[in-house]
Amino acid sequence: QVQLQESGPGLVKPSQALSLTCTVSGASITTTAYYWSWIRQPPGKGLEWMTTVAYSGSAYYSPSLKSRTSISRDTSKNQFTLQLSSVTPEDTAVYYCAARTDLGMGSARTFYDYWGQGTQVTVSS
């Protein structure tokens, strides 16, 4: 059973960078079995796929967020990290990390095999 846990600040000021970490247990992030993603859900809106990192380290980004988004891995800690720069109040959302057995950029709950519980991030001064 794969388990994912998000961690990071709950409040970020506008124009600052947001950094969130997903700690994975039950599987290695370097296994070929899974792809690791970040998805977010702004209040009152649907889920939005942001980025995915493969077991090889290859990264994939949403075109609408690519200029501000970076995903990285710490294989020694079995973690992967999202960085989102120049945040605005529109980046306020619940942020989730998730795992899927195939490469894909979907947003639906059922698209992923495992989800973290999500972490609320509010962008406000």
Side-chain angles (χ1 to χ4, degrees), residues 7-114:
S7 60
L11 180 64
V12 183
K13 294 185 183 300
S15 80
Q16 291 186 342
L18 166 66
S19 182
L20 296 173
T21 295
C22 183
T23 301
V24 179
S25 59
S28 168
I29 62 171
T30 58
T31 178
T32 58
Y34 296 106
Y35 294 81
W36 312 96
S37 298
W38 285 98
I39 303 99
R40 69 180 181 179
Q41 186 167 28
K45 298 184 179 180
L47 293 165
E48 177 186 21
W49 172 74
M50 301 180 69
T51 180
T52 296
V53 64
Y55 52 83
S56 61
S58 297
Y60 307 85
Y61 297 99
S62 167
S64 64
L65 294 169
K66 185 175 183 178
S67 65
R68 299 195 293 128
T69 307
S70 177
I71 189 168
S72 60
R73 306 181 304 169
D74 186 335
T75 57
S76 67
K77 296 181 179 179
N78 215 38
Q79 297 174 332
F80 61 103
T81 296
L82 168 73
Q83 292 192 318
L84 183 66
S85 64
S86 305
V87 299
T88 72
E90 286 67 41
D91 294 309
T92 294
V94 178
Y95 286 74
Y96 299 92
C97 55
R100 190 171 188 264
T101 54
D102 296 311
L103 178 61
M105 292 75 175
S107 301
R109 274 273 169 195
T110 56
F111 192 78
Y112 296 90
D113 299 289
Y114 299 99

